Amino acid sequence: FAKGYKADAVVINLGTNDFAKTAPPKDEFLKAYRGLIATVLEHHPGAHVFCCVGPMMQDDFPKDSPGLPTVRGWLTEMVAEYAKAGQKNVHYVEFARQDHANGLGSSYHPSLKTHRIMADKLTEAIRKEMGW
């Protein structure tokens, strides 16, 4: 957090690795996520926080705990709780699953083309919520 710099928007895109083998404990995951949001807002009061789910999350993996539906549910529930409490500056953004036709980066990570698709979606979400 740069001293003296105040962000208007902060993007958090994490969780994929937390679901690599199985879902983490919900309470622990959300406690840590809320803690990160609190830290962000402590340093950047009034900023909009965009909680993202990346394009590597899957509907059917891990087998015993599908990552995408689980994290989607948890984060949308969390964002709704912020809104219900009057804090309407925390948002959910889900990136489309990466399409192999767009290429893949190293170790199944998104390609440059997928990053451009993600950037377009994120730009649209930020413009909408920020009124830009």
Side-chain angles (χ1 to χ4, degrees):
F1 298 105
K3 192 172 185 175
Y5 176 76
K6 296 297 177 205
D8 293 320
V10 175
V11 177
I12 301 172
N13 181 11
L14 45 79
T16 302
N17 289 345
D18 296 300
F19 290 83
K21 296 188 188 282
T22 187
K26 179 180 180 180
D27 292 340
E28 290 178 33
F29 180 84
L30 290 177
K31 180 180 179 183
Y33 210 114
R34 287 184 183 107
L36 177 58
I37 292 171
T39 299
V40 165
L41 293 175
E42 177 185 323
H43 290 276
H44 302 286
H48 284 253
V49 178
F50 294 84
C51 304
C52 301
V53 172
M56 294 173 66
M57 294 296 291
Q58 301 290 321
D59 287 329
D60 57 357
F61 185 84
K63 181 182 175 197
D64 296 329
S65 179
L68 179 58
T70 302
V71 75
R72 176 191 294 133
W74 293 357
L75 293 183
T76 57
E77 180 182 305
M78 180 189 73
V79 168
E81 289 170 5
Y82 277 105
K84 186 176 179 181
Q87 199 163 357
K88 299 187 185 304
N89 61 328
V90 180
H91 315 282
Y92 175 76
V93 177
E94 183 177 316
F95 296 114
R97 305 296 56 88
Q98 59 187 351
D99 182 343
H100 292 214
N102 293 332
L104 293 174
S106 178
S107 298
Y108 192 69
H109 283 78
S111 66
L112 178 60
K113 185 172 182 178
T114 299
H115 276 282
R116 286 185 181 133
I117 293 167
M118 293 167 58
D120 289 344
K121 179 163 183 135
L122 182 59
T123 299
E124 177 184 322
I126 291 172
R127 282 185 178 147
K128 176 185 171 213
E129 298 298 343
M130 307 288 298
W132 291 352

